[in-house]
Amino acid sequence: MFIILLGTAGAGKSTLAGELKSTMENTGANVAIVNFDPAAEKLPYDADVDVRDYVKIEDFFDKGLGPNGSLISAVDSLINYSDKIREEIDKINPDFTIIDTPGQLELFAYRVGGPLVLNSIIYNEKSVVIFLMDSIFFDNPANIVSILTLASSVNTRFRKPQINVVSKSDLLDKELIDEIIPRLHEDGYLESLLRESKDIDGYTLDLSLSLAKALYASGYFGHILPISIFNELSLRLLYGKIQEVLTESEDYKIYDNENNL
Ligand SMILES: Nc1nc2c(ncn2[C@@H]2O[C@H](COP(=O)(O)OP(=O)(O)OP(=O)(O)O)[C@@H](O)[C@H]2O)c(=O)[nH]1
Ligand SMILES: [Mg+2]
């Protein structure tokens, strides 16, 4: 079973990969981590499988590409090694494989290459996407709408069960954690926050209201889980949610963690 960590640059994916592995292993699970970032320099965990063994980002710089173009081409070229990467994972034979992806989210929200390579590694196994929304995006309701719109793009592209989490929740106010985030799934709540906000008006308000309405109308919202590497309980709740999703048979939806909190 595969757990794909996705999120904007610096959202905490690599750190979470290592911490989640420890949490899961403490309950007896056998967990492997795949580093899926060809441009990673230092990782906060020991990768069991590493795409840097297959592609070198420098080779793409040498072809005259810039840093972003190089990363995109490097990930695309991993399609040639997906069988080998899967063989490596199968040799380890873990209960769960965590895939730590690069923060160049365009690869997964808009382009074909990222999902294509990941799907060819995952093949017919069950998988779940954990989408990390950095707590910095929770500073005002318009930014919450923006990051949820991005989360919905990822969901449209991957068509996999997806758990949306707010990462680094230790940096958020108590009011956000206790009162605002738990209510975000309630139809119309985000719109009321937007209308009450003093910082948003005019066109930005109209656009944000329309996007928020569309997110509710499409049924996109599930409960959003705040997580922090400094809060072991939040990691255990995330693991519980992952287990629940991976043992359910539904094809693709946003998962609701109401019953787990
Ligand atoms: N306060 C706080 N900081 C965190 C948490 N998780 C990660 N960080 C910090 O956030 C920074 C970025 O973490 P990374 O794990 O490298 O983020 P990433 O998403 O892998 O970044 P890219 O691979 O560059 O996209 C590091 O300084 C981490 O120590 C958290 O739960 N709380
Ligand atoms: Mg990383």
Side-chain angles (χ1 to χ4, degrees):
M1 289 186 277
F2 286 82
I3 301 163
I4 308 165
L5 303 183
L6 292 176
T8 47
K13 301 173 291 296
S14 302
T15 312
L16 178 63
E19 297 295 325
L20 187 60
K21 174 174 166 146
S22 305
T23 298
M24 293 167 77
E25 286 186 339
N26 286 343
T27 67
N30 180 10
V31 182
I33 305 184
V34 177
N35 169 43
F36 195 73
D37 185 350
E41 286 188 357
K42 252 175 106 183
L43 294 169
Y45 54 79
D46 292 326
D48 300 286
V49 178
D50 197 326
V51 296
R52 294 175 299 180
D53 295 339
Y54 296 95
V55 294
K56 302 257 170 291
I57 194 78
E58 297 79 17
D59 294 346
F60 296 87
F61 292 146
D62 293 346
K63 287 180 186 153
L65 294 169
N68 295 303
S70 292
L71 181 59
I72 284 164
S73 296
V75 168
D76 283 351
S77 76
L78 284 171
I79 196 72
N80 300 312
Y81 306 102
S82 56
D83 288 352
K84 288 221 164 72
I85 293 168
R86 179 60 193 256
E87 266 170 38
E88 269 199 79
I89 297 166
D90 286 345
K91 259 189 214 143
I92 303 167
N93 193 23
D95 301 316
F96 297 92
T97 304
I98 298 174
I99 304 186
D100 176 28
T101 65
Q104 169 62 276
L105 203 55
E106 177 192 343
L107 275 165
F108 307 101
Y110 306 120
R111 300 183 72 101
V112 180
L116 191 75
V117 177
L118 285 178
N119 281 328
S120 71
I121 293 169
I122 292 167
Y123 192 49
N124 55 2
E125 278 221 36
K126 286 202 161 189
S127 55
V128 58
V129 167
I130 311 296
F131 186 77
L132 282 81
M133 303 186 284
D134 196 314
S135 59
I136 52 163
F137 297 117
F138 280 68
D139 64 339
N140 79 54
N143 284 346
I144 299 178
V145 173
S146 284
I147 193 70
L148 281 167
T149 309
L150 184 55
S152 70
S153 294
V154 167
N155 194 229
T156 319
R157 171 82 44 215
F158 267 92
R159 296 161 150 252
K160 285 188 188 301
Q162 181 169 319
I163 302 169
N164 290 332
V165 303
V166 184
S167 59
K168 309 181 193 174
S169 65
D170 53 289
L171 301 178
L172 290 175
D173 287 352
K174 204 171 153 16
E175 190 198 2
L176 261 166
I177 299 279
D178 292 346
E179 289 167 36
I180 296 179
I181 293 173
R183 291 192 59 193
L184 281 176
H185 67 283
E186 289 175 17
D187 195 0
Y189 184 64
L190 200 41
E191 284 138 273
S192 67
L193 290 181
L194 285 161
R195 285 201 185 87
E196 283 163 20
S197 171
K198 291 182 193 78
D199 308 326
I200 313 156
D201 55 17
Y203 175 67
T204 317
L205 177 61
D206 289 345
L207 181 59
S208 301
L209 283 171
S210 305
L211 290 170
K213 224 174 250 151
L215 288 168
Y216 288 113
S218 62
Y220 178 71
F221 269 94
H223 279 66
I224 293 166
L225 189 64
I227 59 158
S228 164
I229 55 157
F230 303 113
N231 181 340
E232 177 63 20
L233 176 63
S234 72
L235 300 183
R236 275 192 269 133
L237 285 173
L238 176 60
Y239 180 32
K241 196 69 218 160
I242 290 168
Q243 286 174 297
E244 195 184 301
V245 170
L246 289 174
T247 53
E248 293 210 5
S249 58
E250 283 148 287
D251 217 16
Y252 106 93
K253 73 177 253 204
I254 297 295
Y255 278 83
D256 203 312
N257 60 316
E258 184 171 37
N259 301 327
N260 273 30
L261 282 172

